[in-house]
Amino acid sequence: MTEVIEAPAAVKPIHHWIGGRSVPGKSGRSGPVWNPATGEQTGAVDFATVDEVDAAVAAAKEAFASWRSVSLSKRLDLFFKIRHLVYEHREDIARFLTAEHGKVLSDALGEVQRGLEVIEYACGIPTLLKSEYSEQVSTGIDVYSIRQPLGVVAGITPFNFPAMVPMWMWAPAIACGNTFVLKPSEKDPSASLYTAELLKEAGLPDGVFNVVMGDKVAVDRILEHPDVSAVSFVGSTPIAKYVYETGTSHGKRIQALGGAKNHMVVLPDADLDMAADAAVSAAYGSAGERCMAVSVVVALESVADELVGKIKERLPNVKIGPGLEPENEMGPLITREHRDRVASYIDGARDQGAEVVADGRELKVDGDGFFLGVSLIDNVTPEMDCYRDEIFGPVLSVVRAKTYDEAVKLVNDNPYGNGVAIFTRDGGAAREFEFSVNAGMVGVNVPIPVPVAYYSFGGWKNSLFGDSHIYGPEGIHFYTRGKVVTRRWPDPATSKIDLGFPQTR
Ligand code: NAD
């Protein structure tokens, strides 16, 4: 079994998973996997060649013929087993996340839970694939629709949710009858291999779920491979756009979820303590490395000073340190380079005229981990880099708006449109906000409005390329295609030669 390595004696090699077994890579290329809490390299992950991607796709293609024919009741039975095994091993999975991503164990368990919910949704596959039937559309003729799997589908996933985002993809894809090739982030790949082992233990046939490790070489081969029918991607906006454009130009169905800059608008009538708690939780949870993190608070001017004061007074209480120590609430960032890039925004903001209320660089944690404390920047304006860029770290900007309309305009002018939240006690204002705001997921007094598994997740604008949101009903739709059957049975009473265009009778 794949093992968690927290303090390595030697660097662990991390291989591909093809056709139901671990396959060492032959490219001679690999990438480092770090324990961000210690700064030590714990693993070296193989980077696939084109041939290795082809081998994974070939294994998936071979498995598809029989997997698509497995009855819905057998698929359901298998998904209950998968659900049970993932639940039973949720802490093992979470430990991989803490070891390689750095998020604290309680947060890692939360990630696994939100993935499990999508596996549970996929257990409903017999109901989810039910279609429509119209009897007697013409004399003796019935029509019905069916949804069929696409074939081999692939998932390309980001570093920040190494278990949950793959689950959002493979669970509905496989339940629909497809076979799957996953290309996880090269930064924290072990949870994907462990998942492969659990799926095999549950009884999933070899070749239905494959993992290729790697970088752009693997991604590009997936995007152009003629036997890959569809690709789900989650990652940064430039790569999401590239994946969408390249994949669609090769005739594939693509859903590509990109980056975010999520705003939290606080109206004067809001419960300011609730809003401050929410801002701290949503900005600094998982060290801000969440696509649904709140990175901008838009405070109406009359309450801005009070709100900033309430956020500031909460910051010293945020416990930061290694994710395995249960008292900690926030861990390190993913790599040293990313930590340094995030930190550079603090001076940048000051130089551009913002006020640094809290500077995360003042945090000292023993050892060589990639830690950065929480930063709060006030009086940010829309042209500043800390407002324009997705920082993806524990840095919260506060923009002050004179009016509600100015606040909404700020949200709607932003090129991203993933999540957004409003804090208010005014139902009418909240309703108007839901109606006007250009974002895919809206929270009312809820800072991170990730939809439950039976709705679908996705943003607007530069946060999503393609038509389909991920998981939920749109996920089932994405991984299947429609077919409509018009049928009659031999009946001498209705049979005659008629060369005209078919009409209902
Ligand atoms: P990333 O775009 O760097 O990487 C995502 C995937 O693309 C990885 O598997 C990576 O190996 C691959 N990749 C990277 N560079 C590539 C290239 N040049 N060509 C082809 N493939 C390439 O993203 P990340 O840093 O791993 O993840 C963080 C980003 O993901 C943030 O922008 C975050 O907002 C976004 N994200 C979005 C959502 C969402 O639901 N919208 C969810 C999670 C993360």
Side-chain angles (χ1 to χ4, degrees), residues 6-30:
E6 279 141 17
V11 164
K12 170 182 75 165
I14 302 168
H15 303 313
H16 314 298
W17 181 272
I18 300 174
R21 64 191 180 88
S22 170
V23 176
K26 295 203 178 82
S27 70
R29 294 191 312 120
S30 64

Side-chain angles (χ1 to χ4, degrees), residues 14-19 21 23-25 45-60 152-157 180-187 189 192-193 196 209-223 225 228:
I14 302 168
H15 303 313
H16 314 298
W17 181 272
I18 300 174
R21 64 191 180 88
V23 176
V45 59
D46 294 336
F47 282 180
T49 59
V50 166
D51 286 349
E52 285 160 348
V53 174
D54 287 359
V57 175
V152 179
V153 300
I156 301 164
T157 52
F180 199 82
V181 176
L182 172 65
K183 206 302 282 171
S185 170
E186 65 280 20
K187 297 191 175 88
S192 296
L193 280 186
F209 179 78
N210 307 275
V211 184
V212 283
M213 301 298 180
D215 59 357
K216 182 170 166 55
V217 173
V219 170
D220 285 347
R221 183 57 186 156
I222 287 169
L223 294 177
H225 198 299
V228 174

Side-chain angles (χ1 to χ4, degrees), residues 138-219:
S138 185
T139 308
I141 297 185
D142 308 321
V143 171
Y144 56 96
S145 63
I146 45 188
R147 294 206 67 87
Q148 297 190 325
L150 305 176
V152 179
V153 300
I156 301 164
T157 52
F159 79 80
N160 64 323
F161 286 109
M164 179 187 79
V165 168
M167 288 174 191
W168 287 2
M169 298 175 181
W170 64 253
I174 291 176
C176 287
N178 302 283
T179 54
F180 199 82
V181 176
L182 172 65
K183 206 302 282 171
S185 170
E186 65 280 20
K187 297 191 175 88
D188 40 22
S190 293
S192 296
L193 280 186
Y194 187 70
T195 301
E197 291 164 355
L198 290 181
L199 293 179
K200 188 175 171 92
E201 190 183 333
L204 191 73
D206 291 347
V208 175
F209 179 78
N210 307 275
V211 184
V212 283
M213 301 298 180
D215 59 357
K216 182 170 166 55
V217 173
V219 170

Side-chain angles (χ1 to χ4, degrees), residues 29-289:
R29 294 191 312 120
S30 64
V33 176
W34 305 95
N35 180 338
T38 63
E40 286 176 295
Q41 185 181 349
T42 56
V45 59
D46 294 336
F47 282 180
T49 59
V50 166
D51 286 349
E52 285 160 348
V53 174
D54 287 359
V57 175
K61 188 178 179 187
E62 195 189 329
F64 177 65
S66 48
W67 176 244
R68 69 161 296 193
S69 304
V70 170
S71 72
L72 285 171
S73 59
K74 287 193 176 128
R75 268 187 247 169
L76 166 64
D77 191 35
L78 184 62
F79 262 81
F80 272 120
K81 290 194 181 109
I82 292 171
R83 189 267 167 202
H84 176 70
L85 271 179
V86 172
Y87 180 76
E88 210 173 53
H89 292 279
R90 62 196 182 284
E91 186 156 337
D92 300 326
I93 301 172
R95 282 181 179 275
F96 282 113
L97 310 186
T98 299
E100 294 184 354
H101 174 279
K103 62 180 69 178
V104 296
L105 196 59
S106 54
D107 189 34
L109 277 165
E111 162 174 356
V112 178
Q113 177 58 31
R114 293 308 298 257
L116 256 174
E117 288 168 15
V118 173
I119 296 175
E120 287 161 3
Y121 180 75
C123 290
I125 197 66
T127 312
L128 295 167
L129 288 181
K130 273 171 78 174
S131 288
E132 294 165 320
Y133 189 99
S134 300
E135 186 185 51
Q136 197 75 345
V137 297
S138 185
T139 308
I141 297 185
D142 308 321
V143 171
Y144 56 96
S145 63
I146 45 188
R147 294 206 67 87
Q148 297 190 325
L150 305 176
V152 179
V153 300
I156 301 164
T157 52
F159 79 80
N160 64 323
F161 286 109
M164 179 187 79
V165 168
M167 288 174 191
W168 287 2
M169 298 175 181
W170 64 253
I174 291 176
C176 287
N178 302 283
T179 54
F180 199 82
V181 176
L182 172 65
K183 206 302 282 171
S185 170
E186 65 280 20
K187 297 191 175 88
D188 40 22
S190 293
S192 296
L193 280 186
Y194 187 70
T195 301
E197 291 164 355
L198 290 181
L199 293 179
K200 188 175 171 92
E201 190 183 333
L204 191 73
D206 291 347
V208 175
F209 179 78
N210 307 275
V211 184
V212 283
M213 301 298 180
D215 59 357
K216 182 170 166 55
V217 173
V219 170
D220 285 347
R221 183 57 186 156
I222 287 169
L223 294 177
E224 66 189 25
H225 198 299
D227 291 334
V228 174
S229 301
V231 178
S232 301
F233 172 90
V234 176
S236 61
T237 288
I239 312 296
K241 191 160 186 271
Y242 169 76
V243 164
Y244 180 75
E245 288 170 354
T246 311
T248 50
S249 77
H250 285 90
K252 299 186 196 321
R253 185 180 289 191
I254 306 282
Q255 54 179 190
L257 285 75
K261 194 81 185 173
N262 304 311
H263 294 56
M264 173 176 149
V265 175
V266 182
L267 299 191
D269 69 341
D271 178 328
L272 293 187
D273 284 306
M274 183 193 195
D277 287 340
V280 171
S281 312
Y284 306 119
S286 199
E289 291 174 332

Side-chain angles (χ1 to χ4, degrees), residues 299 303-313 357 376 378 398 400:
V303 287
D305 285 342
E306 193 181 348
L307 180 64
V308 169
K310 284 179 183 291
I311 294 173
K312 185 183 173 188
E313 77 191 22
V357 178
L376 178 64
D378 194 6
V398 178
R400 292 161 179 247

